Amino acid sequence: MASNGENQPLLSGLVDSTVLPNNAKSLSKRRLRRSKSAPSAEFRLSDIRGDGTLQRPNSIFGKIEPSIKNVSMMLGGYLGIGTFVFLLFRDDIEGTKTNPIIDAMYFCVVTMTTVGYGDLVPNTNFVKILACVFVFTGMAIVGLILGKAADYLVEKQEIMLVEALNKHNKVGELKTIKDIETNRVRYKCYLAMGILLMLMMVGATVLLTVEKMETIDAIYCVCSTITTLGFGDESFSTGFGRFFGIFWILISTLGLGQVFLYVAELFTETRQKALVNWVLTRKTTSVDLEAADMDNDGVVGVAEFILYKLKEMGKITEDDISVVMEQFENLDVDESGTLSVSDLVLSQSNS
């Protein structure tokens, strides 16, 4: 940088309180605070109507994103091909048989989710190789579903859950949005756990009524299924039970995986919040000021202080700052330490 910018704090051209009049200083501070406290654009754009009220999803299937459609098509293709292949070689699969089509699809789902009860098993080398191919392909599709479809469906019900929790408090719409932002991962955990509990109850009920299992055996079968343990001593053996299991096994195993993901995310977020709270509440020392003084001019500007605190919180790194500063220097053609329209025009003409 040229000498006229050497004594300015980092990014001082953007926020330099020393050259602003009092009213401009207060306006700048208000804008900074407002930008920190404003709800995220994701909720503003997708979940608020024109009159300022929250948009409640009519159904979890009301709006399916393209990525979800792609995953659904992949899942449908996998189940369709798997059912056809295993139906074609059904004589090479031994075990308790019911309806050929249901058995083929049931075997496909049990293979895909790695439950592997053992009530249906391949007994030829070719079908064993097919099972190996389908289990790895199925696990990849399960990973895609966990990353997109399940997360999407849970997130679309967050607003309804938060409004239900805050209904007795009669809080406003913006308060509800802020609550969603603050406790987003926590609410996703609540939803995922609630859905999983409901699936476990439904599965146990079907095993009790359709498969005629004892209560303990039904609970045991549910737990061994959703954890993909699949001992095989208890499983679906009737035609209707297997037809139900085709959908229930897939959804419940995905549900448990989603719960684990959200719990891990919540644990990480809790530790991050604890770190942020420690950074913001501890006393600032002369050592901190020396470390924050990035241009070594003896004073710390607001931008330098913010960058230092963000680095302490682990939200940015020195490499992140270096990359941004390099871009700034490339745009600052006249080396004034500030950016203007003329700098942009000159940088574009030189490129």
Side-chain angles (χ1 to χ4, degrees):
M1 291 292 179
S3 59
N4 59 351
E6 289 178 354
N7 294 326
Q8 296 179 2
L10 179 65
L11 302 181
S12 60
L14 297 178
V15 185
D16 191 349
S17 60
T18 62
V19 297
L20 292 176
N22 291 334
N23 58 343
K25 289 181 184 178
S26 59
L27 178 60
S28 176
K29 290 180 180 178
R30 286 199 300 272
R31 285 176 176 171
L32 283 172
R33 295 192 185 109
R34 183 178 179 183
S35 66
K36 295 174 185 176
S37 59
S40 66
E42 178 183 356
F43 286 106
R44 284 185 176 277
L45 295 177
S46 61
D47 298 321
I48 301 183
R49 301 189 184 97
D51 58 359
T53 60
L54 285 173
Q55 176 69 46
R56 295 177 178 83
N58 295 325
S59 167
I60 58 177
F61 302 104
K63 178 185 176 183
I64 304 298
E65 295 179 346
S67 59
I68 309 303
K69 290 182 180 179
N70 294 337
V71 172
S72 301
M73 291 175 62
M74 290 177 62
L75 176 61
Y78 174 89
L79 292 177
I81 295 172
T83 301
F84 175 77
V85 170
F86 291 126
L87 179 64
L88 191 63
F89 295 96
R90 62 183 181 276
D91 293 335
D92 295 329
I93 299 175
E94 61 181 12
T96 305
K97 303 288 185 69
T98 58
N99 180 278
I101 297 178
I102 292 177
D103 288 346
M105 185 174 290
Y106 171 76
F107 180 75
C108 185
V109 170
V110 168
T111 302
M112 173 188 188
T113 56
T114 70
V115 171
Y117 286 123
D119 50 354
L120 292 174
V121 294
N123 61 357
T124 65
N125 291 335
F126 180 73
V127 177
K128 288 178 180 178
I129 293 174
L130 281 178
C132 293
V133 172
F134 273 88
V135 71
F136 281 108
T137 307
M139 289 176 67
I141 294 177
V142 167
L144 288 174
I145 295 175
L146 281 176
K148 295 182 182 296
D151 191 60
Y152 174 81
L153 296 178
V154 170
E155 282 189 353
K156 281 303 169 184
Q157 301 308 300
E158 277 185 283
I159 294 176
M160 295 178 65
L161 174 65
V162 176
E163 288 187 338
L165 292 174
N166 292 331
K167 189 174 182 180
H168 63 284
N169 296 327
K170 297 181 179 180
V171 299
E173 304 286 358
L174 292 179
K175 171 66 175 175
T176 300
I177 296 174
K178 189 173 182 179
D179 191 15
I180 294 173
E181 272 195 329
T182 304
N183 301 291
R184 165 177 251 184
V185 179
R186 188 185 306 276
Y187 289 143
K188 286 199 288 189
C189 279
Y190 292 159
L191 279 169
M193 290 178 180
I195 292 172
L196 180 63
L197 180 61
M198 181 186 67
L199 288 170
M200 293 176 66
M201 293 174 62
V202 171
T205 301
V206 171
L207 290 171
L208 286 169
T209 57
V210 176
E211 299 294 335
K212 306 301 181 183
M213 291 185 183
E214 298 294 331
T215 302
I216 296 298
D217 290 337
I219 296 174
Y220 165 76
C221 184
V222 166
C223 293
S224 65
T225 299
I226 65 173
T227 57
T228 70
L229 187 59
F231 285 119
D233 50 346
E234 299 290 350
S235 61
F236 297 93
S237 57
T238 64
F240 179 80
R242 286 185 174 176
F243 179 76
F244 167 80
I246 290 170
F247 304 98
W248 180 80
I249 292 172
L250 179 61
I251 297 173
S252 59
T253 52
L254 288 173
L256 181 63
Q258 201 68 14
V259 168
F260 287 152
L261 286 177
Y262 288 150
V263 169
E265 188 178 354
L266 179 62
F267 177 74
T268 303
E269 184 185 68
T270 302
R271 293 191 62 181
Q272 179 63 30
K273 285 183 177 180
L275 174 62
V276 170
N277 183 65
W278 176 80
V279 169
L280 295 177
T281 54
R282 76 178 186 86
K283 293 183 178 180
T284 302
T285 65
S286 58
V287 176
D288 296 320
L289 292 180
E290 183 178 352
D293 186 14
M294 300 181 66
D295 54 6
N296 298 317
D297 63 349
V299 294
V300 176
V302 60
E304 291 175 313
F305 186 76
I306 291 173
L307 288 175
Y308 177 69
K309 286 297 182 181
L310 289 175
K311 285 169 61 179
E312 273 197 310
M313 296 174 189
K315 295 184 179 294
I316 60 173
T317 65
E318 190 67 38
D319 291 337
D320 296 328
I321 298 174
S322 299
V323 170
V324 176
M325 284 303 301
E326 182 179 353
Q327 184 180 16
F328 179 88
E329 290 172 355
N330 291 334
L331 292 174
D332 185 21
V333 179
D334 60 2
E335 298 185 347
S336 63
T338 60
L339 293 181
S340 63
V341 176
S342 61
D343 287 318
L344 297 180
V345 173
L346 288 173
S347 64
Q348 291 173 3
S349 62
N350 293 335
S351 60

